[in-house]
Amino acid sequence: QSALTQPRSVSGSPGQSVTISCTGTSSDVGGYNYVSWYQQHPGKAPKLMIYDVSKRPSGVPDRFSGSKSGNTASLTISGLQAEDEADYYCCSYAGSYSWVFGGGTKLTVL
Amino acid sequence: QVQLVQSGAEVKKPGASVKVSCKASGYTFTSYGISWVRQAPGQGLEWMGWISAYNGNTNYAQKLQGRVTMTTDTSTSTAYMELRSLRSDDTAVYYCARSVVVPAAPFDYWGQGTLVTVSS
């Protein structure tokens, strides 16, 4: 199972919006509506931000949204804030209780 | 509150084995599965495998088949991950993460991570 493809880095100014893409195949992203996104600050464990492509867990701000088209999923963060600066990982279900992660994207808030 | 508390850092020599524990509290252990995810220094997340705490069913990442074993002890609500024949590229932070025992459930709670260093 190959890792999903994410841009190495994205950046934006406070208040702006950024979108992070996550490209897989028909065996993972394209085959299931089970893409999740995780935020990881340095030295910390990942935190679930989006699941089932576009659902937000309780407590996650509605500035975070997710979508999918074909084999590519996207995470959009609107109204960027300084605390959003972190690494973001997509993850897709790949069938039979297996999952695959993306390579990660470093978000810099300028 | 839900907590996953992992065992402490380990230093191992190449060829040795390591066993990391993940003690769960604050929820019904057998209603969830546990995945193990590792992160090499400066690298991304890698899913290693999953175990159902309900019935012990497992699924391992193909690249680790034969070297990894995941188990649970329902009497103590603890999950274990053993990795054998350690190599230097197994040096990583190892995380346990919880998901509901249904296909495709997301990882909603994570342990704090356990650093495993493989060095001669």
Side-chain angles (χ1 to χ4, degrees), chain A residues 52-66:
Chain A
D52 294 357
V53 175
S54 60
K55 297 177 182 177
R56 276 189 315 276
S58 173
V60 173
D62 60 7
R63 302 185 294 103
F64 291 82
S65 62

Side-chain angles (χ1 to χ4, degrees), chain B residues 14-86:
Chain B
S17 299
V18 69
K19 191 169 187 177
V20 180
S21 67
C22 170
K23 183 170 176 59
S25 62
Y27 71 95
T28 302
F29 185 64
T30 51
S31 295
Y32 290 79
I34 294 287
S35 276
W36 290 87
V37 177
R38 69 180 180 179
Q39 185 170 36
Q43 303 300 310
L45 302 173
E46 178 187 13
W47 178 79
M48 300 176 64
W50 169 89
I51 182 167
S52 166
Y54 173 69
N55 58 16
N57 285 352
T58 56
N59 188 35
Y60 303 135
Q62 191 168 4
K63 69 175 286 188
L64 296 173
Q65 290 271 3
R67 286 208 300 140
V68 68
T69 300
M70 296 175 188
T71 57
T72 59
D73 181 344
T74 56
S75 68
T76 60
S77 299
T78 303
Y80 298 91
M81 185 284 299
E82 181 180 33
L83 189 60
R84 300 176 292 279
S85 302
L86 288 168

Side-chain angles (χ1 to χ4, degrees), chain A residues 4-17:
Chain A
L4 308 176
T5 300
Q6 297 181 233
R8 293 289 295 265
S9 63
V10 297
S11 63
S13 299
Q16 288 187 332
S17 294

